[in-house]
Amino acid sequence: MTFPFRDDAFAGQVVAVTGAAMGFGRCIARSFSALGAKVYATDINAAGLAETAEGHAMVTLPIDLTDRAAAAAWIATVETEAGQAIDVLVNNAGGMMGQKGRPIEEVPDEDWDAIFALNVDAAFVTIRAAAPKMKAARKGCIVNISSGAAFRPSRTRIQAYCSSKHAVLGLTRQMAMELGPFGITVNTVAPGLVMTDGDKQGTWDGMSESRKEHVLGGIALGKLGAPQDIADATLFFASPLARFVSGQMLPVNGGSF
Ligand SMILES: NC(=O)c1ccc[n+]([C@@H]2O[C@H](COP(=O)([O-])OP(=O)(O)OC[C@H]3O[C@@H](n4cnc5c(N)ncnc54)[C@H](O)[C@@H]3O)[C@@H](O)[C@H]2O)c1
């Protein structure tokens, strides 16, 4: 933990994190937990989720977030168990669902839908479910994890991924306007390329030196980020330091344009 907050910075706060079995979600959940928050974490990967919680005080419940009823029920469970509104909701679960870039005429409906179901619809459902109690509490914070693909074309060439991350930015801005009058902030962290699991590390390791040089040459700081870089930006949005920040996107990408 490198973030310069006191160890009890989030003490007593109820924090709900999606996609917490690995990658950013694991790091975000553990970071809030280390700073005293009561963390509720979910993911479709039960074993990974249990590993995330090892040695950390957090409550886990595995669900498939593309099941709208299950996603809404998870929010209700968190509120009931915590006995209060969620203070911080982090919509992190997302990704490319194992898809590869290909020409638009080769993209089947189900592949397009699968990416939207996880990247956009799950965030819509959790926000819709958490909003009433947050509004009644007249406080709260929502952080959606988008991507560099939220504001420019994606290197992956996956049309649905890029479109879905643009949608996450739109959802963030619209919800900031709607929930702002209730004292709730809504922001998005837009990560650059970060090695978060074996697959991504393998992709990087498999690149030629000239390809790696090209990728790093497009990053001002000349290196890839780490999950903690994304977690730290999430902590910032959830902290009092960001009390007057809403509807904003923070690219965390080492300076990549
Ligand atoms: N790593 C990067 O370089 C990068 C860059 C930009 C944006 N992002 C975004 O950051 C977020 C996290 O990325 P990551 O690299 O940590 O991903 P990851 O693949 O390491 O982790 C994603 C998590 O989401 C979970 N998940 C997948 N489908 C689910 C479902 N149906 N229900 C519940 N959970 C499900 C997975 O089990 C996994 O634990 C994603 O939204 C991703 O699009 C990542």
Side-chain angles (χ1 to χ4, degrees):
M1 164 55 59
T2 55
F3 203 80
F5 275 131
R6 285 163 41 147
D7 288 353
D8 61 351
F10 290 94
Q13 298 226 14
V14 173
V15 178
V17 183
T18 72
M22 61 171 103
F24 300 162
R26 169 176 284 178
C27 191
I28 290 166
R30 286 180 172 174
S31 296
F32 275 108
S33 175
L35 292 170
K38 188 155 192 207
V39 174
Y40 293 82
T42 190
D43 200 287
I44 197 170
N45 173 354
L49 195 56
E51 207 179 297
T52 296
E54 269 169 28
H56 297 264
M58 64 179 84
V59 181
T60 58
L61 183 65
I63 60 158
D64 179 351
L65 284 156
T66 65
D67 176 343
R68 290 185 178 192
W74 173 65
I75 293 290
T77 303
V78 172
E79 291 168 340
T80 303
E81 284 190 18
Q84 64 161 87
I86 291 169
D87 292 300
V88 181
L89 169 62
V90 183
N91 282 307
N92 161 77
M96 294 168 268
M97 311 292 291
Q99 296 180 30
K100 301 268 180 260
R102 68 207 130 153
I104 190 76
E105 60 272 27
E106 292 173 18
V107 178
D109 288 350
E110 53 272 25
D111 283 10
W112 177 276
D113 292 346
I115 284 185
F116 266 76
L118 181 60
N119 288 294
V120 188
D121 300 358
F124 152 60
V125 171
T126 59
I127 293 171
R128 182 176 63 181
K133 281 204 164 51
M134 279 187 167
K135 284 163 75 173
R138 301 199 74 81
K139 66 184 170 71
C141 163
I142 298 170
V143 182
N144 299 317
I145 306 301
S146 55
S147 167
F151 59 94
R152 64 179 180 213
S154 173
R155 278 196 210 97
T156 65
R157 298 184 297 115
I158 301 172
Q159 304 86 351
Y161 183 71
C162 184
S163 305
S164 72
K165 292 302 188 180
H166 276 64
V168 171
L169 176 59
L171 179 66
T172 299
R173 289 176 167 158
Q174 199 62 50
M175 292 318 305
M177 285 305 291
E178 184 176 332
L179 299 179
F182 299 92
I184 301 163
T185 63
V186 190
N187 291 290
T188 179
V189 177
L193 179 61
V194 178
M195 296 303 135
T196 46
D197 61 23
D199 280 358
K200 291 192 187 77
Q201 188 65 50
T203 307
W204 178 253
D205 292 344
M207 279 184 198
S208 66
E209 286 311 309
S210 62
R211 178 77 187 133
K212 285 182 187 170
E213 249 174 59
H214 176 76
V215 172
L216 294 178
I219 301 172
L221 291 175
K223 60 179 183 180
L224 301 178
Q228 192 68 55
D229 298 320
I230 309 309
D232 286 355
T234 307
L235 293 171
F236 164 70
F237 276 139
S239 79
L241 298 178
R243 62 192 165 273
F244 200 52
V245 180
S246 196
Q248 302 306 310
M249 174 181 57
L250 178 57
V252 179
N253 56 23
S256 178
F257 309 97

